[in-house]
Amino acid sequence: MNICIVGSGYVGLVSGACFADLGNRVICVDNDESKIKKLHKGIVPIYEPGLEEIIRRNVKARKLSFSMDLRQSVKKSEVIFICVGTPPKDNGEADLSFVETVAKEIAVSMPSYRLVVEKSTVPVNTGEWVENTIKVFNKRNIPFDVASNPEFLKEGSAIDDFMNPDRVVIGVKSKKAREILTELYRPLKAPIVVTDIKAAELIKHASNSFLAMKISFINSIANICDKLGTDVNEVARGIGLDKRIGDKFLNAGIGFGGFCFPKDLSAFIRIAEKAGYDFGILKEVESVNLDQKKMVLKKIEEMLWNLPGKTVGILGLAFKPNTDDIRYSPPLDIIELLKKEGVNVKAYDPAAMERTKEVFKKSVKFCKNPYEVAKDSDCLVIATEWNEFKELDFSKIKKLMRQPNIIDGRNIYDPAEMKKLGFKYTGIGRR
Ligand code: NAD
């Protein structure tokens, strides 16, 4: 099929590259000139394992190309995926203005039948808005369908998630749209859940909110474990082996972040509110997540007593390992809290340094490696569970630090071992 992907970010680039790899001809469009220029030069603007290789292969095979010209790209493609950002407004609602702009452009460019698919995460009823918008601007009455096909990939393992999904969700109104999308996804051999458009839109928000709820739940258990002096990892293992619950998303830590959970959670709370329902559980999920970052500050204070003038080293800036994405990243919130207290902050991340430097400029000392962070620090905080941090030379770290204090914000070390090495150690829900 000839496919146009509008919005070449984390979702659009991965989807475009994977659809091309599955044998389609794909044009990835973006209105960010610098992104498209980089892609034309063979530079992938985001860090995602395996993406560069798959892009290179498909560009070479002439199955994947990049463009800033949405109108021409729509003319050449029968299926158009909308993958633009849907960032939160101040009140938590999703800002759908990029989606509207794209819908208008598609409406005036379609030469014949087009299937317009929302892949961005959007509130329920967005499909109707997209359809109405296209109708209004589609002066020549060209036939079209709108469908919803939410994306469930995770940054850091996005290619594998796209190619081997647990399920593909397709929300459609017409048989034609259903046939096109089931044919497109057939090579993946994944279960395909076909619903109406509203249900598909709801599935995405409900899934992300449920996962966020699991994280806030285990973080609450961790806070109880802290008070009672037992180990949350043991509790999580005991819970997670129950197949009805499952062991995924039961890692206690400094809270969830990224461009999905925080914004989708607040958007879902607002969607429910507009529909006349007070989604109290999700409000609590949000507030536990906010408190989790403040709790880290409290733990640092318990270790260091007075904070002004002390130096804290942060290992990990991305919201999770294997990505350079720092949007709504908990480590960044923790740095903000520390700076407000007059703490000197040093930091290192294997992939997210450049992006974080743009945020904090010179107010944070960015280091070349974890050892440079440790040097003369009063406390180290493990904020992202990169594999690199699981293999550090701790006797070297201890010698470099001013005081051997470690807050393991992702519970990646063995508390007994860290104490044996001479550190004052605390994890999240385990000491
Ligand atoms: P992103 O910011 O990385 O990418 C969005 C891209 O859209 C940007 O490159 C931007 O320049 C482009 N864009 C905006 N307006 C445009 C326009 N008018 N024409 C062409 N391009 C335009 O965002 P993302 O992380 O890829 O997320 C996109 C959507 O997918 C969001 O709704 C998000 O919630 C959802 N989603 C994200 C993930 C994830 O892990 N990042 C996973 C599942 C779903």
Side-chain angles (χ1 to χ4, degrees):
M1 285 181 207
N2 291 309
I3 296 173
C4 169
I5 302 272
V6 193
S8 303
Y10 288 89
V11 166
L13 264 188
V14 170
S15 307
C18 290
F19 278 136
D21 217 43
L22 291 172
N24 303 287
R25 195 175 289 274
V26 181
I27 311 173
C28 284
V29 176
D30 207 287
N31 62 356
D32 179 341
E33 195 177 353
S34 69
K35 234 175 218 185
I36 295 297
K37 271 189 176 159
K38 275 187 185 164
L39 286 162
H40 279 150
K41 284 187 200 152
I43 302 166
V44 179
I46 55 168
Y47 175 84
E48 179 62 45
L51 183 59
E52 202 177 310
E53 161 60 23
I54 194 169
I55 287 182
R56 197 182 314 122
R57 185 165 70 232
N58 286 286
V59 168
K60 202 170 159 214
R62 296 181 169 274
K63 288 191 287 172
L64 180 64
S65 59
F66 308 101
S67 173
M68 285 193 67
D69 191 339
L70 178 56
R71 293 188 180 199
Q72 276 306 319
S73 306
V74 167
K75 288 199 172 97
K76 292 180 192 162
S77 317
E78 57 233 19
V79 188
I80 301 140
F81 283 89
I82 303 180
C83 301
V84 296
T86 48
K89 295 196 235 177
D90 286 345
N91 66 0
E93 256 176 52
D95 179 348
L96 298 171
S97 51
F98 299 149
V99 175
E100 183 181 354
T101 306
V102 171
K104 284 182 189 163
E105 287 269 304
I106 294 171
V108 296
S109 327
M110 305 186 297
S112 56
Y113 174 84
R114 291 294 179 263
L115 173 58
V116 180
V117 190
E118 21 169 75
K119 199 175 239 328
S120 299
T121 302
V122 290
V124 63
N125 288 330
T126 303
E128 266 175 37
W129 279 104
V130 170
E131 187 179 333
N132 290 339
T133 306
I134 296 179
K135 261 187 201 149
V136 170
F137 290 89
N138 172 16
K139 302 286 183 215
R140 291 165 295 151
N141 275 330
I142 309 274
F144 70 98
D145 274 311
V146 170
S148 163
N149 169 223
E151 183 49 57
F152 298 97
L153 63 76
K154 304 182 290 298
E155 288 172 26
S157 56
I159 307 277
D160 188 52
D161 291 341
F162 190 93
M163 292 299 205
N164 301 295
D166 292 340
R167 81 306 202 186
V168 171
V169 174
I170 291 174
V172 283
K173 247 167 92 173
S174 79
K175 187 162 167 267
K176 188 167 182 174
R178 177 194 181 131
E179 281 171 1
I180 293 174
L181 286 174
T182 42
E183 179 58 18
L184 185 60
Y185 279 106
R186 195 174 42 85
L188 297 185
K189 297 189 169 58
I192 297 185
V193 180
V194 181
T195 64
D196 64 20
I197 296 177
K198 280 188 194 175
E201 290 166 335
L202 269 177
I203 286 169
K204 177 64 189 176
H205 271 119
S207 298
N208 274 2
S209 301
F210 190 87
L211 293 172
M213 184 171 75
K214 247 183 136 178
I215 298 175
S216 278
F217 181 84
I218 200 66
N219 282 339
S220 300
I221 300 282
N223 295 337
I224 298 173
C225 287
D226 263 343
K227 291 189 194 300
L228 300 178
T230 184
D231 187 333
V232 70
N233 279 12
E234 286 177 12
V235 179
R237 185 170 145 73
I239 300 172
L241 284 171
D242 184 329
K243 290 195 181 67
R244 295 169 302 175
I245 296 172
D247 59 357
K248 304 282 189 309
F249 285 78
L250 284 183
N251 299 324
I254 59 176
F256 55 78
F259 195 52
C260 289
F261 286 2
K263 84 171 171 53
D264 293 351
L265 192 62
S266 52
F268 203 25
I269 292 170
R270 293 285 297 137
I271 291 165
E273 216 167 87
K274 275 188 169 173
Y277 181 71
D278 179 9
F279 215 146
I281 305 178
L282 295 190
K283 289 182 181 165
E284 198 52 33
V285 169
E286 210 170 35
S287 110
V288 168
N289 200 50
L290 279 177
D291 287 349
Q292 211 58 11
K293 289 165 267 194
K294 293 183 198 145
M295 183 268 307
V296 175
L297 185 72
K298 217 169 124 224
K299 280 182 187 278
I300 297 173
E301 235 170 350
E302 277 167 15
M303 279 188 163
L304 298 184
W305 191 20
N306 298 305
L307 292 180
K310 299 266 167 62
T311 300
V312 171
I314 306 286
L315 292 185
L317 298 164
F319 82 97
K320 61 185 277 194
N322 297 322
T323 180
D324 59 348
D325 198 349
I326 55 164
R327 293 177 290 183
Y328 304 98
S329 181
L332 269 63
D333 294 334
I334 292 169
I335 292 176
E336 283 292 359
L337 291 172
L338 287 168
K339 282 182 353 128
K340 265 191 206 138
E341 296 293 329
V343 173
N344 304 311
V345 179
K346 299 172 85 175
Y348 166 77
D349 186 282
M353 298 266 274
E354 290 313 311
R355 288 182 195 265
T356 318
K357 274 181 195 168
E358 284 167 24
V359 178
F360 293 113
K361 310 274 185 308
K362 289 201 158 66
S363 67
V364 166
K365 181 168 173 15
F366 291 96
C367 301
K368 287 191 194 72
N369 56 52
Y371 302 101
E372 200 182 312
V373 175
K375 191 168 182 325
D376 297 328
S377 282
D378 296 290
C379 178
L380 269 189
V381 178
I382 312 300
T384 315
E385 63 275 37
W386 284 93
N387 277 341
E388 183 178 336
F389 303 150
K390 295 177 185 163
E391 292 154 3
L392 297 175
D393 176 348
F394 277 103
S395 49
K396 184 171 167 187
I397 293 222
K398 183 161 174 270
K399 278 187 207 133
L400 288 166
M401 290 183 76
R402 194 178 288 145
Q403 304 184 55
N405 291 313
I406 290 201
I407 293 178
D408 182 358
R410 298 296 182 181
N411 287 351
I412 60 175
Y413 306 124
D414 177 0
E417 212 161 284
M418 296 310 285
K419 278 174 207 154
K420 217 162 87 193
L421 284 163
F423 286 96
K424 200 164 152 197
Y425 169 94
T426 177
I428 309 294
R430 64 207 282 263
R431 314 175 170 254

